[in-house]
Amino acid sequence: MLRKTDVEPLPDRKDDDEGTPVSVKIRERLNAARKRFNANDNIAEFIQPGELESLLDEVEVKMKAVLESLVIDVENDHNTDNTARRVAKMYLNEVFRGRYVPPPPLTEFPNAEHLNELMIVGPITVRSACSHHFCPIIGKLWIGVMPNEHTNVIGLSKYARLAEWVMGRPQIQEEAIVQLADLIQEKTRPDGLALVMEAEHFCMAWRGVKEMDSKMINSVMRGVFLKDPSLRREFLSLLPRKS
């Protein structure tokens, strides 16, 4: 008969947790909350302090394995020495940063003067990457806002910050511009919102058909821009024409 002192201790849960890859921990939290984590989703609220640095280490290890599977001598090739680390930092801290960090802070002001005239911000430089091939998407964005007395006024630079946050994820252009429109609509509550984006897709220019001059242009119209053709024409007519 076993005495209490003879019973083997339970495994240390903390030690087990320490051996779990940080990507698995984050994914488990997302699954437990039944939250989607597609390429263009933001998952910042499920990342705990210090975990982004651990995730960078994990991506570096796996990126080195990719290079090795491409039959690149990462041990002796001076050009790819530390490439895995650089790529991991590029993805997590730069080009896909919009997935892993909270939205930029915004200072919002009431529309004290009851402004109700068309305002256009742009061109804002857009930098993203297609979620199909992880090739760059580079372009320009214009934002038209028709405020009302209840609209929150934000600084012009904040539109660029919001665009950078949304575009800093693997995206397709059609979804990216809708995500940004939803965000601006939520933050400012205007009578009308219009976005036009023109971008070059390197998944088409660098690979595939290798067409260097093609661009994709799309738009989102909300509120009075959708209902009032004359306002929509005014907005589009004020955008710089290509030479």
Side-chain angles (χ1 to χ4, degrees), residues 20-60:
T20 303
V22 68
S23 63
V24 173
K25 298 178 188 177
I26 297 169
R27 190 178 294 109
E28 286 175 348
R29 292 181 203 126
L30 286 157
N31 285 328
R34 296 186 178 181
K35 292 291 186 179
R36 198 182 75 166
F37 49 101
N38 287 0
N40 62 353
D41 289 328
N42 178 271
I43 59 172
E45 64 179 296
F46 297 94
I47 299 175
Q48 296 179 358
E51 286 188 334
L52 199 55
E53 291 77 10
S54 299
L55 190 59
L56 195 154
D57 293 337
E58 183 181 334
V59 173
E60 177 188 2

Side-chain angles (χ1 to χ4, degrees), residues 20-237:
T20 303
V22 68
S23 63
V24 173
K25 298 178 188 177
I26 297 169
R27 190 178 294 109
E28 286 175 348
R29 292 181 203 126
L30 286 157
N31 285 328
R34 296 186 178 181
K35 292 291 186 179
R36 198 182 75 166
F37 49 101
N38 287 0
N40 62 353
D41 289 328
N42 178 271
I43 59 172
E45 64 179 296
F46 297 94
I47 299 175
Q48 296 179 358
E51 286 188 334
L52 199 55
E53 291 77 10
S54 299
L55 190 59
L56 195 154
D57 293 337
E58 183 181 334
V59 173
E60 177 188 2
V61 171
K62 293 181 177 179
M63 191 63 221
K64 184 175 181 181
V66 170
L67 296 174
E68 290 171 342
S69 293
L70 290 171
V71 198
I72 295 174
D73 186 354
V74 295
E75 301 300 330
N76 299 298
D77 178 9
H78 63 281
N79 287 319
T80 53
D81 180 39
N82 211 35
T83 290
R85 183 71 177 182
R86 286 192 293 269
V87 172
K89 290 173 69 175
M90 177 187 71
Y91 281 149
L92 269 68
N93 296 341
E94 296 179 88
V95 295
F96 297 157
R97 180 177 171 81
R99 294 197 78 232
Y100 306 106
V101 298
L106 297 181
T107 302
E108 303 173 11
F109 305 95
N111 186 1
E113 298 299 322
H114 294 179
L115 302 173
N116 62 353
E117 299 294 336
L118 172 61
M119 179 186 73
I120 299 176
V121 183
I124 296 170
T125 300
V126 171
R127 301 174 185 86
S128 190
C130 80
S131 49
H132 297 154
H133 297 95
F134 278 19
C135 289
I137 298 172
I138 307 292
K140 300 292 183 183
L141 171 75
W142 291 265
I143 301 171
V145 177
M146 192 62 153
N148 60 49
E149 61 181 301
H150 304 295
T151 297
N152 292 326
V153 179
I154 63 175
L156 295 182
S157 65
K158 303 308 180 185
Y159 289 99
R161 295 291 186 193
L162 292 175
E164 180 182 41
W165 184 67
V166 169
M167 298 299 170
R169 311 166 195 176
Q171 288 280 14
I172 64 170
Q173 184 171 333
E174 304 93 308
E175 293 181 357
I177 194 171
V178 172
Q179 279 189 323
L180 181 57
D182 289 343
L183 182 61
I184 295 173
Q185 185 85 34
E186 175 191 344
K187 296 292 184 183
T188 62
R189 296 180 297 159
D191 274 349
L193 179 65
L195 284 79
V196 171
M197 178 174 167
E198 177 186 88
E200 180 180 359
H201 291 241
F202 281 69
C203 58
M204 187 175 177
W206 188 33
R207 58 160 299 282
V209 297
K210 297 183 175 68
E211 176 53 61
M212 299 298 295
D213 297 322
S214 290
K215 291 180 171 60
M216 180 177 179
I217 304 173
N218 64 336
S219 67
V220 171
M221 301 288 167
R222 302 275 175 85
V224 290
F225 285 102
L226 191 61
K227 298 174 183 177
D228 186 346
S230 62
L231 179 62
R232 185 163 63 250
R233 284 194 298 270
E234 179 185 359
F235 166 68
L236 294 173
S237 71

